Amino acid sequence: MTPTDFKKQIKNKRLPALIFFTGTEDFLTEQFSNLLENSIDENFRAWDFVRADVNDTGIKEVLADVSTLSFNASRRIVIVENPLFLTAKNSLEKSEENLLLKYLNNPEGENSLIINAVNFSLDKRKKTVKSLIKTAENVDFKPLDERQILQIVKKRFLVADISIEDAVLNYYFRRLAFNLRLIINNLDKLLLYGQNHIIDNHVIDFLIAPESTESAFDLIEAINQKKPGKVLKIYEELIDRGEAPIRINALLLSQYRLLIQAKSLKLNDQNLSRLLHIHPYRAKLANQLASLKTFGELSNSFLNLSDIELKLKSTRLDPKMLFEIFLSKNTNSNFFAVSLN
């Protein structure tokens, strides 16, 4: 079931007894959890809406909550957060697992139990996971694509009676790496500024700090273009924003690992996104950047960054010098000359 279909169920107050949240868009999941909470009469909300973190609350208590009748003869909603027991990292006690399996096979029809497994890597060998897949209504919170995000944001500008070009919005989305949480949370800045000014790319640069992942992609793009001056400028901007050198190096390592995967798998953007559980935009950028380098070049860059990581952790060598040496190797430039210009 899509989130849109699920929204209709909430509006019509026809929720199923078992609901299983999966996918990777946690911000969207939070919005729907709030929507569920607000669907309950305010006078009974504290009783009829329960969030249970299974790190703090046992399954036995969760099942007791969802088996308790509502105060106002309405539907009681219990959301289970952090279900690590569905992954390979953790498991329930045998007695708890049996209790949960018994409930999943015969749920309380008057209430709704929601298992929120968004951003969890499910162990599909487990009985509980198999049972949830079989018996629960699945809501898949996939990352929104560019068109869907554009529709949501344009609606906010339309309501505020502020005009903005699609190209500028796309630039804004890219600056935040299509991270829906950051896009929505930063909108108020643009809407406030747009009341009296025209919003263009320069305004976006001034008002919105780029997301770190996007900065890492920008670094790699500038390295591929053999523009050491631009690379150093981005690097120094990251340092000025408080990013530690080891964090920048880790970001680059992560992105080069992704490029190596993209180069090896040779999948289209959509399939790469699905297989690696990454946003379609990241998959698109990865394929674009990977196509400009050989597998050997990408591997060498990754190994060089791994060596820098080791030096950053075990020596007192100047981090910027280490990065400039990496830059010199990857752009065939004299980094000292670049620094002096």
Side-chain angles (χ1 to χ4, degrees):
M1 175 167 56
T2 67
T4 302
D5 293 331
F6 184 49
K7 189 174 183 179
K8 291 176 183 176
Q9 287 191 344
I10 297 172
K11 183 178 179 180
N12 296 328
K13 298 188 181 298
R14 292 184 178 178
L15 294 177
L18 293 174
I19 304 168
F20 191 26
F21 287 174
T22 57
T24 58
E25 190 51 82
D26 54 0
F27 180 75
L28 201 56
T29 312
E30 289 174 17
Q31 301 304 302
F32 272 82
S33 295
N34 293 336
L35 191 62
L36 283 163
E37 183 174 7
N38 292 330
S39 72
I40 297 174
D41 188 309
E42 187 176 0
N43 295 319
F44 303 98
R45 200 171 290 164
W47 174 260
D48 283 342
F49 184 81
V50 179
R51 292 179 191 263
D53 187 328
V54 286
N55 289 329
D56 305 318
T57 307
I59 285 296
K60 189 174 181 180
E61 187 176 340
V62 169
L63 296 180
D65 277 331
V66 77
S67 298
T68 303
L69 293 178
S70 164
F71 261 166
N72 68 335
S74 182
R75 180 170 289 273
R76 202 160 194 243
I77 299 172
V78 177
I79 300 181
V80 174
E81 306 281 5
N82 295 318
L84 277 171
F85 61 86
L86 299 177
T87 73
K89 296 180 181 179
N90 207 340
S91 295
L92 294 172
E93 295 288 339
K94 193 64 179 177
S95 59
E96 287 189 315
E97 182 184 57
N98 289 336
L99 279 174
L100 180 57
L101 288 170
K102 184 178 179 181
Y103 185 87
L104 294 178
N105 288 324
N106 186 28
E108 169 58 56
E110 298 301 316
N111 296 329
S112 291
L113 176 65
I114 301 174
I115 309 290
N116 180 12
V118 169
N119 277 330
F120 280 80
S121 182
L122 303 175
D123 185 349
K124 294 185 178 180
R125 299 168 298 175
K126 290 191 170 184
K127 291 180 181 178
T128 45
V129 176
K130 290 178 180 178
S131 182
L132 275 168
I133 291 172
K134 181 180 178 181
T135 60
E137 188 77 60
N138 175 229
V139 184
D140 189 9
F141 289 97
K142 296 178 182 177
L144 301 184
D145 60 31
E146 298 177 36
R147 180 185 56 81
Q148 291 171 312
I149 296 176
L150 186 63
Q151 286 178 341
I152 292 171
V153 174
K154 283 185 73 173
K155 186 175 180 180
R156 288 282 301 273
F157 276 89
L158 186 64
V159 170
D161 195 26
I162 296 172
S163 62
I164 185 169
E165 294 180 2
D166 287 1
V168 176
L169 283 177
N170 280 315
Y171 182 77
Y172 169 61
F173 300 158
R174 173 170 176 174
R175 192 162 176 82
L176 296 176
F178 281 81
N179 183 312
L180 185 62
R181 183 186 302 278
L182 294 177
I183 288 170
I184 299 301
N185 288 346
N186 280 281
L187 263 185
D188 285 344
K189 294 180 188 176
L190 298 185
L191 292 170
L192 182 62
Y193 186 90
Q195 289 177 4
N196 299 302
H197 304 86
I198 294 173
I199 302 173
D200 57 18
N201 289 359
H202 296 296
V203 171
I204 301 295
D205 288 339
F206 177 73
L207 292 177
I208 309 297
E211 200 269 343
S212 298
T213 303
E214 180 60 23
S215 294
F217 272 124
D218 287 342
L219 278 171
I220 295 172
E221 187 176 41
I223 290 169
N224 285 351
Q225 295 169 347
K226 299 189 184 302
K227 295 181 177 179
K230 182 178 179 181
V231 176
L232 284 176
K233 183 174 182 291
I234 297 170
Y235 180 85
E236 288 163 0
E237 285 174 353
L238 285 168
I239 295 294
D240 290 342
R241 294 210 314 265
E243 292 284 2
I246 196 166
R247 160 74 174 160
I248 298 171
N249 198 75
L251 282 169
L252 284 170
L253 264 174
S254 175
Q255 299 315 311
Y256 270 106
R257 184 183 293 110
L258 175 58
L259 298 191
I260 290 170
Q261 289 174 312
K263 193 76 175 179
S264 303
L265 294 168
K266 297 178 181 177
L267 298 173
N268 62 34
D269 301 347
Q270 185 177 4
N271 288 335
L272 185 67
S273 169
R274 187 181 299 114
L275 180 66
L276 299 183
H277 304 290
I278 59 176
H279 194 280
Y281 171 72
R282 285 193 68 205
K284 178 181 176 181
L285 274 187
N287 275 332
Q288 287 175 350
L289 292 173
S291 68
L292 301 175
K293 291 288 183 179
T294 66
F295 185 84
E297 287 172 328
L298 293 173
S299 297
N300 285 336
S301 295
F302 182 83
L303 291 173
N304 289 337
L305 288 165
S306 298
D307 184 55
I308 290 175
E309 182 177 48
L310 181 62
K311 287 184 171 68
L312 288 172
K313 290 179 178 178
S314 60
T315 73
R316 294 187 177 181
L317 292 173
D318 178 44
K320 187 177 180 183
M321 181 196 73
L322 291 173
F323 180 75
E324 287 176 332
I325 293 172
F326 167 77
L327 177 59
S328 178
K329 289 178 179 178
N330 284 269
T331 60
N332 300 320
S333 63
N334 185 331
F335 62 90
F336 290 113
V338 170
S339 299
L340 292 171
N341 287 338

